[in-house]
Amino acid sequence: MKINIDVDDSLENDFITIHCREITDEIIELQRSLSGRNSNSLRISAFQDDVEYFLELKTIIFMESEGNYILIHTSKDIYRTRQKLYELEDILPRDFIRVSKSTIVNTLMISSIKKNITGASEISFGNSNKHAFASRNYIKALIEIMNEKRLKR
Amino acid sequence: MKWKKVVAGLVIILFAVALLLDKMMILPDISMIKIAISAVLVFIIGCALRKLVFIGITFPLGLIACLFSSELGIDHVNPVIIIIVSILIGIGLTLIFGRPFSRICCSRSGEKSDKHFGSASRVEYSEAEGTFKVDNNFGEKTDYVYVKNLKKGRIDNAMGNYMVYLNGTTIDPSGALIEIDNGLGSLKVYIPKELRVSVKTKNGLGTIHTHGSCSKDETLPLLTLKVENGLGATDLFFE
């Protein structure tokens, strides 16, 4: 694989474009690794009582809307932010996916999905006793994302 | 909502006028009572349609069908059967199309906003008195309870999957009691591990599990959990 770097000081933002003949597992892995490197350093601001915290995205397991707030769940704590769910969905990396009208989960933290064809499927997370539910309308997209992360022959 | 009160007021006035006209034998060929009752039922259907409560739509339709059974050609059918059919259709539609989540939000400032999506549930909440009561009948639901100086609370779950978070809740210096009742469903209660908690259980054929540990500091006020579990699974998480 050849790697070229074009320096153009007229650009407003840095971006990376991958040119390839076809999308292979290697290309997907490369894209994932570049996205992960970019997002691991990102933080999100949230409150607990009157204290503002800056949470690393990798510590967040899921987010759920509650009235005028979004509740951000880590393994052991809950924080609040006033941003809207659709605003977070736009700015969060691809690892964060909406699983219902009111919930976004971090797919990197999912340990199991208990499927239910008649109702909502239960999502469990590693290192946490918390659970979230994926509605029937969103479960297919979640399963597709999880399948991409699976080891393939 | 003001418009709702205005419409309800108008419907009641029309009903009163129709009742009077009927008794005065004006327009004897037209049953004003039937029309007035139908107007009230249509108003109820309209309210139920806004909130997408299917039983609230089908049950009044069943009553209208009973009122106009001869016009509809179903007067040979027992009205009780018509009502039962309408209720069953409402339940079926709720199970098929009812939204999977219903959530009730309790904010620290004492405001309360309810979101009910299909599954039946109630909330009673009084931060001033240090009490709360949340419940879930069926479906999946999550509640966040923030009560300062909690004295008494109640958590009920019938057949659904119910999660209750007590993060941010503090205990009244004289102590607090939360009664937890789980029937057939799955109930998970998340309690801050900083609280001192005593758990008393009564279990039927289901399971009650505690995960993690709470504070043993005897200077802290005591939160007592009285857990009654039927056939379902109750899990208490201290974290």
Side-chain angles (χ1 to χ4, degrees):
Chain A
M1 186 186 293
K2 256 193 338 184
I3 298 177
N4 291 331
I5 299 177
D6 287 329
V7 178
D8 183 351
D9 55 9
S10 65
L11 290 172
E12 281 184 23
N13 295 310
D14 296 336
F15 61 88
I16 297 173
T17 305
I18 301 175
H19 296 266
C20 56
R21 275 185 302 183
E22 58 175 355
I23 295 180
T24 61
D25 290 341
E26 191 187 9
I27 298 295
I28 291 173
E29 194 52 47
L30 178 64
Q31 182 261 334
R32 204 176 295 148
S33 134
L34 286 167
S35 304
R37 189 164 303 152
N38 196 33
S39 65
N40 275 347
S41 58
L42 290 176
R43 291 169 186 258
I44 191 166
S45 155
F47 289 84
Q48 202 177 60
D49 293 325
D50 295 323
V51 181
E52 186 177 15
Y53 292 86
F54 299 93
L55 306 172
E56 287 186 6
L57 292 186
K58 62 182 180 188
T59 64
I60 296 171
I61 56 173
F62 69 96
M63 304 176 184
E64 197 167 38
S65 64
E66 181 223 8
N68 295 329
Y69 294 95
I70 300 296
L71 296 179
I72 299 175
H73 287 257
T74 59
S75 297
K76 302 292 178 196
D77 266 312
I78 303 177
Y79 303 84
R80 294 178 157 211
T81 176
R82 276 223 176 244
Q83 287 177 283
K84 304 287 181 210
L85 206 68
Y86 69 87
E87 289 170 356
L88 289 168
E89 199 182 6
D90 284 341
I91 59 174
L92 286 168
R94 198 166 169 266
D95 293 322
F96 287 81
I97 181 172
R98 189 185 279 240
V99 294
S100 73
K101 282 189 180 173
S102 55
T103 310
I104 292 174
V105 300
N106 182 356
T107 55
L108 295 173
M109 303 293 275
I110 292 176
S111 64
S112 67
I113 301 172
K114 187 176 169 188
K115 290 181 201 170
N116 184 348
I117 54 171
T118 57
S121 301
E122 189 173 335
I123 303 171
S124 302
F125 301 95
N127 297 325
S128 176
N129 295 311
K130 295 182 181 179
H131 301 262
F133 289 99
S135 69
R136 284 195 303 271
N137 293 338
Y138 292 89
I139 188 68
K140 199 176 167 191
L142 174 63
I143 298 296
E144 277 174 13
I145 295 273
M146 297 307 293
N147 279 339
E148 281 178 18
K149 296 178 190 297
R150 272 173 42 198
L151 277 172
K152 295 186 180 84
R153 263 194 289 169
Chain B
M1 288 207 178
K2 195 162 169 55
W3 70 265
K4 209 170 160 182
K5 285 184 182 173
V6 168
V7 172
L10 283 172
V11 167
I12 290 171
I13 290 169
L14 281 171
F15 182 85
V17 169
L19 185 63
L20 187 62
L21 290 176
D22 191 64
K23 294 301 171 194
M24 286 168 64
M25 302 298 278
I26 293 171
L27 300 174
D29 296 333
I30 302 170
S31 172
M32 301 302 289
I33 293 283
K34 272 189 187 178
I35 291 173
I37 294 173
S38 301
V40 173
L41 292 171
V42 165
F43 171 70
I44 293 170
I45 289 171
C47 294
L49 204 59
R50 266 193 83 242
K51 294 179 185 172
L52 217 55
V53 177
F54 291 101
I55 290 184
I57 298 168
T58 58
F59 181 63
L61 280 174
L63 288 174
I64 291 173
C66 292
L67 280 174
F68 294 98
S69 56
S70 49
E71 287 85 351
L72 291 169
I74 53 171
D75 48 351
H76 57 281
V77 181
N78 193 327
V80 174
I81 301 294
I82 297 173
I83 300 296
I84 290 172
V85 164
S86 65
I87 291 173
L88 287 174
I89 290 174
I91 292 172
L93 287 171
T94 304
L95 287 172
I96 294 168
F97 298 110
R99 296 177 203 181
F101 295 95
S102 86
R103 193 164 349 105
I104 295 170
C105 316
C106 305
S107 71
R108 291 176 58 221
S109 65
E111 288 173 5
K112 177 178 65 175
S113 67
D114 294 9
K115 281 186 190 173
H116 297 272
F117 297 114
S119 69
S121 57
R122 278 193 321 273
V123 65
E124 290 170 24
Y125 172 77
S126 169
E127 187 169 0
E129 295 171 15
T131 63
F132 75 89
K133 185 179 175 186
V134 293
D135 65 25
N136 179 43
N137 288 339
F138 56 90
E140 290 80 23
K141 184 177 166 205
T142 304
D143 273 336
Y144 297 90
V145 178
Y146 311 109
V147 179
K148 297 298 178 193
N149 298 322
L150 173 69
K151 289 180 187 147
K152 196 172 161 104
R154 186 164 177 93
I155 301 170
D156 282 317
N157 181 44
M159 294 188 339
N161 288 326
Y162 194 21
M163 293 191 289
V164 179
Y165 290 88
L166 297 176
N167 292 61
T169 293
T170 61
I171 307 301
D172 188 80
S174 61
L177 168 68
I178 299 179
E179 291 174 337
I180 299 173
D181 194 336
N182 182 38
L184 280 168
S186 162
L187 174 62
K188 294 179 173 64
V189 183
Y190 296 86
I191 304 140
K193 63 181 180 199
E194 295 80 25
L195 302 180
R196 183 165 72 105
V197 180
S198 159
V199 182
K200 296 176 185 170
T201 62
K202 207 186 264 185
N203 185 35
L205 293 172
T207 58
I208 300 176
H209 288 127
T210 57
H211 307 263
S213 58
C214 58
S215 172
K216 302 284 183 235
D217 183 357
E218 302 217 349
T219 62
L220 295 173
L222 181 66
L223 169 63
T224 304
L225 302 179
K226 273 173 84 174
V227 184
E228 280 191 32
N229 185 61
L231 288 168
T234 300
D235 291 274
L236 306 173
F237 297 95
F238 298 105
E239 54 182 43

